Amino acid sequence: MLFFRLAGGFAVVLALFVGVRSVDWFPPEEMLTVWVHGSPQEAQLYRRIADQYSRENPEVRFRLEVVPGRNVVQKLLTGMDAGHAPDICVLHWRTMAQVASTGQLLPIDDLVRRDKVDADDYYPVGLQAYRYNGQLFGLPVKGSTITCFYNKALFDEYGVDYPTSDWTWDEMLEKAQMLTVDIDQDGLNDVYGVSPYDIANYVWSGGGNFLRKENGRFVSNLDDPTVQEAVQFYVDLFFKHRISPPRPGVRTDAPMSTFTFEAGRIAIDISGPWRIPQYQFLDRFEWDTALFPRGPAGRKTRYAGVGFVIWKGSKQPEVAWDLVKHMVGPEATAEMAGIGSDMPPQRSVSRRAFVREDTPWAEESFVKSMDYDVHLFPQELWWEDLYRRMLDELDGALSGRESVESALARAHRTTNDYLNRIHADEAAL
């Protein structure tokens, strides 16, 4: 009986040994690790692009891991501190400052120049999004800005002209008023004219900004009259004109679940191309796209994008860089454009790969939108925390409980108090 137990144990060990021998087994320093995150379609595409690199470069050993996007920054920072981080990671641009400020990302300016990466073909805002303190730490794999979708069936039904390429805030307001409808005459709107996204696009297009610099230091710009006018316009969409659907809270840009573009209950949905995978299967009505409407200071919208960065502690930085170049190269980003959720970061690829002839909607709107004034939030370590505090102070106005003037005044004081502490801490270092 003991013989059979020993023989069985030996068989298990042998099977495990054979299984291990059947896969490539390399020392950790010879195996690159790549972290990606995104939708299942994006993850699958990252794998396909990486597999292509592996076929072309069989001597390079790496593993690609799909990690939850919500936890990627904390896991990355923890791994860097422990000395066991992925060599390559996909980062959303708004997390760049948090990671780059640790000094643990590889600067790539010299590599870009050395290998003659065509930086001029990139949308400038996409590269700027991966700069921190003047140094470039990543290359975008996709990026876009805010545009809008509109329900052609509703426009046709109520005799409203479609948005034009030069339409304005006032024209959006006029159209949205005509498209806000109480169909059953019960005193409650069944269709709302516009879902306006968040306040940033309005602050910038109104000619304002959240911060300004005085004597080389950031201070609050929330006392600028153009900021108050822009926020007032935004708030009035909800509470004066009542042409925008109620929202669950200011922490989300989405309307209440019963009032969605997909349900045909919003005529104009201001958002970005990441909605296309969700909207492309709509068969209840025809829809199309348009540029974000011009404000008093023009068309100024918010950037959105992700890119690849390299850990400074990588044992194979040159190999990692070569793989990154492949993952963000024109062929890879053209393939990424097929998902339709975001645009390639290169102008030439966007124009040839993102715009499709076989769709009833105009992808040209998304491409054209990137040639206007696309903004970034400040690439400062403290910005995200400060922005949350700003929105907290503006909550009363954004939810209709107090005036825009009083909410902005309080947000202005809070912002300056916060920045004064930041400057005091920096001066003490």
Side-chain angles (χ1 to χ4, degrees):
M1 192 68 171
L2 178 61
F3 169 78
F4 287 113
R5 288 177 180 171
L6 291 173
F10 177 75
V12 170
V13 172
L14 180 61
L16 289 173
F17 177 76
V18 171
V20 168
R21 296 281 296 189
S22 69
V23 299
D24 293 325
W25 192 262
F26 300 94
E29 64 271 12
E30 295 182 14
M31 176 74 78
L32 288 175
T33 302
V34 183
W35 280 6
V36 299
H37 58 85
S39 69
Q41 295 88 347
E42 288 172 328
Q44 184 180 23
L45 185 53
Y46 283 135
R47 288 191 184 281
R48 191 157 68 243
I49 295 170
D51 286 345
Q52 180 188 11
Y53 181 85
S54 186
R55 289 192 297 272
E56 295 172 358
N57 302 271
E59 74 284 359
V60 176
R61 309 297 177 179
F62 66 92
R63 62 177 178 271
L64 187 144
E65 299 177 0
V66 179
V67 297
R70 186 174 299 177
N71 303 321
V72 66
V73 172
Q74 191 57 50
K75 289 181 64 177
L76 180 63
L77 293 175
T78 301
M80 287 177 170
D81 288 342
H84 298 291
D87 300 84
I88 300 168
C89 185
V90 168
L91 281 184
H92 191 280
W93 81 270
R94 287 181 69 172
T95 63
M96 266 295 297
Q98 184 179 358
V99 180
S101 64
T102 67
Q104 300 205 66
L105 292 182
L106 182 73
I108 62 172
D109 287 285
D110 291 342
L111 296 172
V112 167
R113 285 191 291 268
R114 184 197 70 187
D115 294 353
K116 296 180 172 57
V117 174
D118 190 0
D120 291 338
D121 192 30
Y122 278 79
Y123 291 107
V125 68
L127 292 181
Q128 186 60 36
Y130 286 88
R131 288 195 177 276
Y132 182 75
N133 285 347
Q135 288 187 298
L136 184 66
F137 289 101
L139 289 178
V141 66
K142 61 179 184 176
S144 58
T145 188
I146 304 300
T147 48
C148 76
F149 300 83
Y150 64 94
N151 184 324
K152 295 176 70 175
L154 287 173
F155 275 74
D156 293 342
E157 182 177 355
Y158 295 102
V160 181
D161 292 336
Y162 298 151
T164 61
S165 61
D166 61 348
W167 70 321
T168 64
W169 284 6
D170 289 340
E171 290 176 288
M172 181 188 75
L173 173 60
E174 180 182 358
K175 293 179 189 301
Q177 287 174 320
M178 298 170 66
L179 292 162
T180 300
V181 186
D182 177 6
I183 296 174
D184 54 12
Q185 300 297 308
D186 65 351
L188 300 173
N189 290 328
D190 300 289
V191 175
Y192 282 93
V194 61
S195 179
Y197 209 69
D198 67 9
I199 64 171
N201 306 286
Y202 300 87
V203 168
W204 293 325
S205 292
N209 211 332
F210 297 97
L211 304 177
R212 64 177 181 265
K213 278 197 171 182
E214 292 182 356
N215 301 319
R217 290 176 33 165
F218 281 110
V219 299
S220 172
N221 194 54
L222 299 181
D223 60 343
D224 183 345
T226 60
V227 174
Q228 181 172 332
E229 291 167 7
V231 176
Q232 189 67 62
F233 177 85
Y234 179 87
V235 169
D236 284 349
L237 298 177
F238 293 91
F239 303 108
K240 178 182 177 181
H241 306 298
R242 299 185 183 280
I243 57 174
S244 295
R247 300 173 301 169
V250 298
R251 284 287 174 242
T252 175
D253 302 316
M256 290 178 61
S257 59
T258 53
F259 295 103
T260 64
F261 186 75
E262 305 97 297
R265 303 190 71 178
I266 292 176
I268 303 167
D269 179 33
I270 294 178
S271 189
W274 51 86
R275 296 287 192 189
I276 292 178
Q278 180 181 353
Y279 292 168
Q280 65 183 338
F281 300 110
L282 291 176
D283 56 7
R284 301 177 56 187
F285 56 86
E286 290 187 14
W287 56 270
D288 209 338
T289 65
L291 295 170
F292 182 80
R294 291 187 294 110
R299 181 177 288 113
K300 302 183 180 185
T301 53
R302 188 174 73 163
Y303 179 72
V306 300
F308 282 91
V309 298
I310 300 172
W311 179 35
K312 198 173 184 178
S314 172
K315 298 294 192 298
Q316 302 184 73
E318 283 287 350
V319 179
W321 166 241
D322 195 58
L323 178 53
V324 165
K325 285 191 298 181
H326 174 82
M327 298 296 290
V328 303
E331 294 79 10
T333 57
E335 194 170 355
M336 182 73 73
I339 296 178
S341 63
D342 238 325
M343 291 197 334
Q346 305 98 336
R347 278 196 177 91
S348 61
V349 182
S350 287
R351 290 167 181 160
R352 69 176 168 83
F354 192 77
V355 178
R356 294 178 288 175
E357 298 294 333
D358 59 342
T359 60
W361 57 85
E363 286 92 352
E364 291 90 344
S365 298
F366 304 107
V367 176
K368 290 178 181 177
S369 66
M370 290 294 289
D371 286 326
Y372 289 92
D373 193 352
V374 182
H375 277 234
L376 298 170
F377 291 123
Q379 283 284 45
E380 300 288 343
L381 179 61
W382 40 260
W383 167 255
E384 293 298 329
D385 182 47
L386 175 57
Y387 191 50
R388 282 191 293 269
R389 292 169 187 258
M390 283 184 188
L391 292 180
D392 285 342
E393 299 298 345
L394 292 174
D395 180 77
L398 297 177
S399 57
R401 301 193 310 272
E402 68 174 308
S403 71
V404 168
E405 182 179 9
S406 63
L408 274 174
R410 187 174 58 255
H412 177 65
R413 292 191 299 270
T414 298
T415 299
N416 274 334
D417 288 345
Y418 185 98
L419 290 171
N420 285 337
R421 291 194 297 274
I422 292 294
H423 297 317
D425 290 343
E426 290 174 348
L429 293 178

